[in-house]
Amino acid sequence: MASDLKYQRILLKLSGEALGPKGFGIDAETVRRIASEVKRIHSLGVEIAIVVGGGNMWRGADAAATGIDRATADYVGMLATVMNSLVMQDAMEKLDMVTRVQTAIEMPPVAEPFIRRRAVRHLERGRVVILAAGSGNPFFTTDTAAALRAVELNAQVLLKATKVDGVYDDDPMRNRSARKFDELSYMQALTMGLKVMDSTALSLCKDNRLPIIVFNLHQPGALEAIIRGEKCGTLVTSDVEEPV
């Protein structure tokens, strides 16, 4: 493994919305482009685990608001993440990456069950591990699942891919004066209510001192730049005394 890389084992969190045009469905070209970005760092020897959301097909919280039982809605959302994971697997294997999909809900004909030691072994052998079905529990987001899996697999960083190049104090798509943060502490992100990850995920990262980098995956080369230690996106890390 290349010694000049800052991170040698990562967990990449992809939102389901990133896979489809206008945040809905699956766009094959977008999936291929994301797979190509992953290929760039995989070829450097980086060990990669991926958690994919399912919001391009189904959002449990939104569905529950229509009257569907929340637990049922969340289980349907977990199945959506499995579909997205299989699509990502296909795109990556077409680029000659060896992958494994592991699911938190067992479905042997489709994928392996999530077994931590097996997932670690896959990573050590250079396989990309795609982790589907969230944590397997309703009422928990895929952000929380990403934080949990990152800690379980001893990832050095959790990379959250978004549609913007970091964390802002307002929506930069609507407010051109929105301020971008280059670095934040976990507590600052929590107390300021910034949309980094949900509070459960943030707290889990804080308790385990797992750094989070929020970045724009659609920016070519951004993922590789982060792996090489270049400043990109917003770093959320240990608490600091200086006000942001």
Side-chain angles (χ1 to χ4, degrees):
M1 192 172 286
S3 59
D4 61 335
L5 303 178
K6 182 170 184 178
Y7 303 111
Q8 298 185 335
R9 178 179 293 176
I10 68 165
L11 188 137
L12 174 63
K13 168 59 169 61
L14 295 173
S15 69
E17 289 90 337
L19 306 183
K22 299 181 180 179
F24 184 80
I26 295 174
D27 178 66
E29 183 55 40
T30 299
V31 172
R32 281 193 291 268
R33 181 160 41 80
I34 293 173
S36 296
E37 290 296 316
V38 174
K39 170 76 171 180
R40 290 176 66 167
I41 63 168
H42 184 258
S43 65
L44 299 175
V46 178
E47 296 175 1
I48 306 164
I50 300 174
V51 169
V52 187
N56 57 319
M57 298 185 186
W58 183 272
R59 299 188 69 87
D62 293 345
T66 68
I68 298 175
D69 178 77
R70 175 60 192 268
T72 299
D74 282 352
Y75 280 120
V76 175
M78 292 177 211
L79 298 180
T81 73
V82 176
M83 290 189 283
N84 284 338
S85 296
L86 294 176
V87 169
M88 285 303 309
Q89 179 183 45
D90 180 77
M92 290 180 182
E93 293 197 336
K94 282 183 168 62
L95 294 177
D96 297 323
M97 286 179 276
V98 180
T99 71
R100 294 291 186 274
V101 173
Q102 292 195 341
T103 60
I105 300 173
E106 291 193 24
M107 44 187 79
V110 174
E112 298 178 0
F114 173 73
I115 299 173
R116 185 183 67 84
R117 291 173 66 90
R118 182 181 291 177
V120 169
R121 185 61 172 159
H122 287 323
L123 294 173
E124 292 172 344
R125 292 192 170 190
R127 299 164 184 155
V128 178
V129 181
I130 306 171
L131 302 161
S135 66
N137 301 291
F139 305 101
F140 291 92
T141 67
T142 50
D143 277 355
T144 296
L148 174 64
R149 297 298 186 232
V151 172
E152 286 183 292
L153 300 177
N154 297 315
Q156 296 169 300
V157 65
L158 194 166
L159 304 180
K160 181 172 180 179
T162 68
K163 293 182 282 188
V164 294
D165 61 342
V167 179
Y168 288 77
D169 62 0
D170 196 5
D171 185 349
M173 300 290 190
R174 300 179 181 177
N175 180 4
R176 293 187 178 182
S177 300
R179 176 190 174 196
K180 178 188 171 187
F181 300 101
D182 292 326
E183 186 171 334
L184 285 166
S185 72
Y186 303 109
M187 283 307 300
Q188 286 167 339
L190 284 165
T191 58
M192 296 172 70
L194 300 174
K195 294 182 179 179
V196 178
M197 304 182 89
D198 66 78
S199 59
T200 304
L202 268 173
S203 296
L204 186 56
C205 291
K206 176 180 179 295
D207 291 345
N208 292 276
R209 303 182 69 83
L210 174 69
I212 305 164
I213 297 177
V214 181
F215 73 107
N216 184 356
L217 184 63
H218 298 299
Q219 178 183 338
L223 187 55
E224 182 178 352
I226 290 170
I227 296 302
R228 293 189 181 278
E230 300 174 24
K231 285 190 176 182
C232 188
T234 299
L235 172 66
V236 184
T237 185
S238 302
D239 295 348
V240 291
E241 295 183 2
E242 293 82 7
V244 176

